[in-house]
Amino acid sequence: MDNFKIKLKKRRILFIVIVIAVTALGVLDALSLLPGSNKETFTAGMMDGISWSTYIALGLAALAASIRITRMLKDEALLRKAYNKENDERLKMIRSRAGMPIILIMSILMFVVAIIFSSINETVFYTLLAAGYIQLLCAAGVKIYCLKTM
Amino acid sequence: MKTRIRELRKANRLSQEELALDVGTTRQTITSIEVEKYTASLVLAYKIAHRFGLSIEDVFDFSEIEDS
C-alpha cells in the first residue's frame, strides 16, 4: 500500500505540472505572447480553437485527477478502493483488451504533434487529431463492451 | 463457472462490497463471478475460498471441467 501511495503522489505531481503548463500557456496566449497565434482566417481560427479546447480538456482532466488523488490520500477507505480497482484482475484484463495504456499514450502524443503541426500543415493537423480521437473512441468502445460482457 | 459465493455471502451476512474489499478486488468483479460472466483466477479463487474458511472446490463448481 505504501508503494501505491508513492505512485499516487508521483502521479499527482505530473498532473499538477500539466495544470500549471496549460495555465501558463493560456496566460501567454491571452497576452498574445505566443508565437504563431494566428486567428486571421476562419481555418486558422478553427485550428486554434480545436488546439485550445484540447489543451483545456487536458488541463481540466489533470486538475480533476489531482483533486481525486488528494482526496484518496487523505481517506484510507478511498485509497483501499482505488488500490483494489487498480489491481483488480478483471479490470486489468479489460484494460489490456482495450489496448490501455498504450492507446492513451499514443493518442496524447498524436494530439501534441497535431498542436505543433497546427501552424505548419493543416492536413497533418486534422489527420492526427482525427486519428487520435478515433483511436480513443475505439478503445472506449471495446472497454465498454468488455465491461458489459465480462 | 458455477459458484456458491452468493449463498456463502448471504450465510455470512456479507455484502459484495465487503467481500471485494476483503479479497482485494472490486464489487463488479464479485458480481461478474456470481453471475458466471467471469471466471476467477486461481489466486482470487483461493482468496475468496479462504475468506469463507473453505477450500476452492467447496466454493467453485468444477463438475463442468471434470465432465469435459
Side-chain angles (χ1 to χ4, degrees), chain A residues 110-147:
Chain A
M110 280 176 165
F111 293 146
V112 171
V113 175
I115 288 164
I116 293 166
F117 265 85
S118 64
S119 55
I120 303 166
N121 190 314
E122 203 178 310
T123 313
V124 174
F125 170 77
Y126 285 122
T127 309
L128 282 171
L129 209 65
Y133 277 122
I134 289 167
Q135 198 168 253
L136 277 181
L137 272 177
C138 288
V142 171
K143 194 175 175 182
I144 290 166
Y145 174 76
C146 287
L147 279 171

Side-chain angles (χ1 to χ4, degrees), chain A residues 72-134:
Chain A
M72 273 178 211
L73 289 170
K74 283 179 184 168
D75 189 340
E76 201 63 34
L78 275 178
L79 186 72
R80 178 109 192 128
K81 267 189 185 177
Y83 179 80
N84 284 353
K85 198 174 176 184
E86 180 132 331
N87 293 292
D88 181 54
E89 58 177 47
R90 178 175 150 269
L91 291 178
K92 270 186 183 172
M93 190 189 280
I94 290 170
R95 275 195 291 264
S96 75
R97 282 190 184 184
M100 293 294 171
I102 200 69
I103 295 273
L104 186 67
I105 295 166
M106 287 290 288
S107 296
I108 290 171
L109 282 176
M110 280 176 165
F111 293 146
V112 171
V113 175
I115 288 164
I116 293 166
F117 265 85
S118 64
S119 55
I120 303 166
N121 190 314
E122 203 178 310
T123 313
V124 174
F125 170 77
Y126 285 122
T127 309
L128 282 171
L129 209 65
Y133 277 122
I134 289 167

Side-chain angles (χ1 to χ4, degrees), chain B residues 42-56:
Chain B
L42 183 62
V43 176
L44 184 58
Y46 172 77
K47 282 181 183 172
I48 293 169
H50 188 73
R51 173 64 186 79
F52 294 118
L54 298 166
S55 66
I56 293 177

